[in-house]
Amino acid sequence: MIFVNAGKKDWAFAYAMVAPTVLGVLILNIYPLFKSCYLSFTESKGFGIYKWTGLDNYVRLMEDPEVWQAVVNTLAYTVLSVVIGVFLSLVVAVLLNEKIRGRGLYRTIYFLPVVSAPAAVAMVWRWLYNADAGLINYLLSMFGIGAIHWLTDPRMAMISIVIVGVWTMVGYNMVLLLAGLQEIPKTFYEAAEMDGAGPVQKFLHVTLPMISPTLFFVVVTSVIGGLQVFDFIFMMIEPSNTAMASTQSLVYLFYKQSFLMGDRSYGAAIVMLLLVITLIITAIQMKLQKRWVYYE
Amino acid sequence: MGKFGRIILALSLAALMILFAAGCGSETGDGRTRITYAIWDKNQQPAMEEIARRFEETHPDIEVEVQLIPWNQYWTKLEASAMSDTMPDVFWMHSQSFLRYASNGMLFDLTDLPGFDTSAYPEDLVQFYTYEGRRYAIPKDYDTIGLWYNKRLFDEKGISYPDETWDWQKLVMVAQELTDPARGIYGFLAPLDQQSLYYDFVYQNGGEILNSNKSACGYRDPTTQEAIKFAVDLSQKYQVSPTIQQFADMSREQYFQSGKAAMAFFGSWMLGDFSKNEYVAQNCDVAMLPKGKRRATIYGGLGNAVSAKTKHKEAALAFAAFLASREANEIQADMNACIPAYRGTEQGWIDANRNFNVKIYPEALDYAVIFPNSETREKWMLTETDVLKKAWAGDVSVEDACQTLADKIDAMLAKEQKEQKEQEEKK
């Protein structure tokens, strides 16, 4: 090891090497975090002028039904997209870990949504979802199913957004899970076979415990991603859409208050609420992991 | 970092780049002074560049760089540059942001600008860009609303085209005759839209959106409510228009440009798109809006403003003076950029759009009502959409929606007035 007898010079070198990342995090993550926290206690007067108003924004937040609806929407989106998305990712990863023909092609297809621009993805889905001329309703009509208002029916719009969200996240999670699957030594499966385990038992008693650390990571990041849902709502639901109230997430509401209405301070209070929710949920997951995550 | 984080990062990087670009706009290599002119409309870029070129001919020591910043980034960037004192030297101003910029001292006082002859412009437009008696922007152009119709659909049913005798009743009657559910054709298009739909109806009915001293909104006024009811009825009761849900899947422009609608209101800014659209060019034309109790259309227009902290005051003011001239306005007209604000220069624009009867747009100035405006307009216009969409969907009555809306907007206006008073007292 080079750094066993490391002098000051070597440490300086080490710090220099990590500096870009540390600086990036400080400037782009840590500073804005504290700045947002400060802004949430002020009133924005525009052009960088802020007046301290104490808890006013939080009082307003508590009384704002739009905010609580957004909390419900955000949680609904997160639960639906994580449960469905992670389950599908695991299924796809396990299937594509087998030596089937065209495996590379399938992997590419599943990963494609990850490398596509979210805006372009949303535009294509918007066209697919079109109630009058969309491909999905056209296909459904061949089975005698009447037109579904995917993006304008308040009960349907959230599901439509979840579908797009799941579609884009499966590929990314699949890659992580595939890597985890390939770490599992073959000898474990051979031993299980000797004991007479079938495919289902092998999955439940070998694959699942062995992949649980990866799965935990996937769940935590997917939950955080779900809580931050914004782009699909922004691209697919316009302000005059009647389904907006039942789909707008906390981040969308933050965007609306901060950038459309110009109220940066109230927007900051909304993201602070999101931060608290994220911290609570992540803390719960950390606690629960002891029950199901298996570390060697 | 989440996707949203990445978007924010991209935006801030873009903003940084603009700051850089603006910061660099000083001396060029050959000793000329370089000033920047920020605009947001790509369709108007050639005309703006032509104006810059003509200005440079008479001012060889100045170089004008036209900077195109798309609308959805324009205001974020302009505000960021305002905070760091690196605004473009000259830039387009929109009425919905004007009061905020003027009241915060971001704009150069152009009241005494030589060559800015206020009598050459419609008075309302000059007033539009006036704050506390001082003028902070030069009217650049204006827009009014017209009734577009599909001649082919009218001909099929042997109905005569809209003309100046039309009123609301006639509009509904003809729209009903032209609506053909079997073919998916609608007589009229009535989406939830302010400038090109219900604001016009409100003023035609003798109502108002904002009272004259901006202390209260007009949504408690029964005549205002009646006009909004009429707009809602077009899709809900008469069913001559697609519903608000349908408009989420297909926009008003798409309906009209694909021949799925016989009539719709469109502002003069649509001419650029319409003259390029083969279907519209061949089958459609425009007439003046039908009248209600009286004749009215909403009109508004952009302004040209100069940064209060420009480092090249003389050059920027010289260019602003040129923008205020008849010559610059004629260039805008001849190059089909917009209807210029300078009186008597619109003929070039009319000639450039000979395909359509566009002269109704400048003629509408005779009865046009200026766009209702106050410092918090962005907020209350978004609130209007939030609240009224429930009425458009038929979930709440127009009366209830208007009451809810009136309470919200009046609270915003009261706060706005209180802050203005506080500011005045400080001075």
Side-chain angles (χ1 to χ4, degrees), chain B residues 90-121:
Chain B
V90 186
F91 50 91
W92 281 9
M93 195 19 79
H94 193 278
S95 55
Q96 74 173 13
S97 306
F98 168 72
L99 290 169
R100 225 158 42 78
Y101 278 82
S103 67
N104 280 290
M106 297 297 167
L107 308 181
F108 200 96
D109 186 348
L110 299 174
T111 315
D112 304 318
L113 181 74
F116 180 16
D117 173 14
T118 51
S119 66
Y121 302 93

Side-chain angles (χ1 to χ4, degrees), chain B residues 94-249:
Chain B
H94 193 278
S95 55
Q96 74 173 13
S97 306
F98 168 72
L99 290 169
R100 225 158 42 78
Y101 278 82
S103 67
N104 280 290
M106 297 297 167
L107 308 181
F108 200 96
D109 186 348
L110 299 174
T111 315
D112 304 318
L113 181 74
F116 180 16
D117 173 14
T118 51
S119 66
Y121 302 93
E123 205 194 322
D124 282 335
L125 279 182
V126 175
Q127 209 53 43
F128 219 26
Y129 290 110
T130 299
Y131 175 72
E132 292 187 335
R134 310 295 293 176
R135 289 183 282 278
Y136 292 95
I138 307 153
K140 174 187 167 296
D141 55 35
Y142 67 86
D143 44 59
T144 60
I145 313 295
L147 172 66
W148 282 79
Y149 57 95
N150 186 317
K151 289 187 284 191
R152 184 190 280 189
L153 295 176
F154 272 76
D155 291 344
E156 277 175 12
K157 300 250 169 157
I159 299 169
S160 53
Y161 301 149
D163 57 33
E164 70 285 352
T165 64
W166 276 41
D167 56 13
W168 288 8
Q169 230 182 336
K170 178 83 177 173
L171 178 75
V172 173
M173 221 175 67
V174 173
Q176 280 172 324
E177 278 179 64
L178 289 169
T179 301
D180 187 345
R183 289 166 63 201
I185 287 171
Y186 291 92
F188 186 72
L189 297 170
L192 174 52
D193 187 281
Q194 284 128 325
Q195 187 173 7
S196 344
L197 194 81
Y198 74 84
Y199 279 11
D200 301 288
F201 284 151
V202 165
Y203 285 93
Q204 286 168 3
N205 204 38
E208 59 186 9
I209 298 297
L210 219 58
N211 70 4
S212 54
N213 57 11
K214 299 174 185 178
S215 60
C217 72
Y219 283 99
R220 292 180 213 281
D221 183 349
T223 49
T224 301
Q225 296 184 2
E226 194 183 37
I228 292 170
K229 180 94 174 66
F230 177 69
V232 171
D233 280 348
L234 288 166
S235 58
Q236 291 289 327
K237 182 175 156 196
Y238 304 118
Q239 302 185 348
V240 296
S241 161
T243 60
I244 186 169
Q245 285 90 352
Q246 288 171 288
F247 279 118
D249 279 330

